[in-house]
Amino acid sequence: MEAAIEVKGLRKSFKDAEVLKGVDFEVKRGEIFALLGSNGAGKTTVVRILATLLKQDGGTARVTGHDVASKPDRVRQSISLTGQFAAVDEILTGRENLLMIAKLRHLEHPRRVADELLNRFGLHGAADRKASAYSGGMRRRLDIAMSLIGNPQVIFLDEPTTGLDPEARIEAWRIVKELADGGTTVFLTTQYLEEAEQLADRIAILHEGRIIADGTLQDLKKRFPPAKTEYVEKQPSLEEIFLAIIGNREVK
């Protein structure tokens, strides 16, 4: 399967702090890829470099076949980014937010595009209400809907469910699965390990500036000591695997 993202030897420092120390990974087209790491591990730095918002100090990164450093315009045409906080204009209505992005993207029939997305994300009944009156889950749905205008090949979701209640998180998970089912490549960073366990086709763990594990959930489980059979064989959770791999506690 063709790669949507290729990263080799990626390095980035901020003053005297080396955040990325040679990061390597690949994301296949149409898969959900989860990048895990503790706070400050450099997950957002990776996303910002891949989204052409930040320049790396070394190494290479290609998104949809285009080098992020030499062809940033081509990369931006093929991607979308949803950050940790919903980037909606609260003064505008849901429909007006979508119309604004569709016009900025120079799309034909922006009202039709807006209506299709309002229907798809269950926001049609609230289309003419100001976004300031939306719940957290509704704002996140609107934010992701805005990100899909122009049919990006790759969408970056940087901790997309931070601050959402459990019901809204599950709703966001459904949307992410639908995106991947429709052929969109989803690059997800999250602090919720259950989220990666539920959604990701492949998982990478970023620790102390490097990728220290990369594979499917089943691949990562193989790195965990065999389950002890007592009354019931207990399979390790992704949280237990993550903590064991980064060495934050002994495996018991």
Side-chain angles (χ1 to χ4, degrees), residues 85-205:
F85 304 100
V88 302
D89 189 324
E90 297 191 351
I91 297 175
L92 302 179
T93 65
R95 189 191 307 278
E96 288 169 342
N97 269 282
L98 292 166
L99 284 171
M100 175 180 66
I101 300 300
K103 289 176 180 177
L104 288 172
R105 290 271 192 175
H106 305 291
L107 299 185
E108 295 183 2
H109 312 298
R111 183 165 291 275
R112 182 190 304 168
V113 171
D115 284 341
E116 288 174 355
L117 287 168
L118 288 166
N119 285 325
R120 178 178 175 182
F121 286 88
L123 293 169
H124 202 274
D128 298 314
R129 285 164 48 193
K130 287 188 176 182
S132 59
Y134 283 15
S135 67
M138 292 170 70
R139 289 188 197 188
R140 179 53 79 193
R141 274 185 280 158
L142 178 60
D143 195 27
I144 296 175
M146 290 164 62
S147 297
L148 293 182
I149 292 174
N151 297 316
Q153 298 174 50
V154 178
I155 182 167
F156 293 97
L157 300 176
D158 189 15
E159 301 196 11
T161 61
T162 296
L164 296 186
D165 60 42
E167 185 178 0
R169 282 179 62 205
I170 291 171
E171 187 177 4
W173 292 359
R174 177 186 60 78
I175 293 169
V176 170
K177 288 177 180 178
E178 286 182 359
L179 292 176
D181 289 343
T184 303
T185 303
V186 179
F187 185 105
L188 172 75
T189 74
T190 180
Q191 60 180 319
Y192 300 116
L193 300 185
E194 181 192 4
E195 193 159 84
E197 197 165 7
Q198 291 289 328
L199 295 175
D201 298 307
R202 283 197 311 113
I203 298 164
I205 296 176

Side-chain angles (χ1 to χ4, degrees), residues 9-23 40-42 45 49 56-59 206-210:
L10 202 62
R11 293 181 172 275
K12 183 64 183 177
S13 297
F14 296 97
K15 295 184 178 179
D16 296 331
E18 191 177 15
V19 177
L20 305 179
K21 304 175 182 178
V23 171
T45 299
I49 291 171
Q56 72 266 36
D57 297 332
L206 180 64
H207 183 61
E208 295 183 348
R210 293 184 174 87

Side-chain angles (χ1 to χ4, degrees), residues 55-77:
K55 289 188 177 181
Q56 72 266 36
D57 297 332
T60 61
R62 298 176 65 84
V63 178
T64 63
H66 306 295
D67 186 274
V68 299
S70 62
K71 302 286 185 182
D73 290 343
R74 299 296 296 273
V75 172
R76 290 172 195 147
Q77 290 172 10

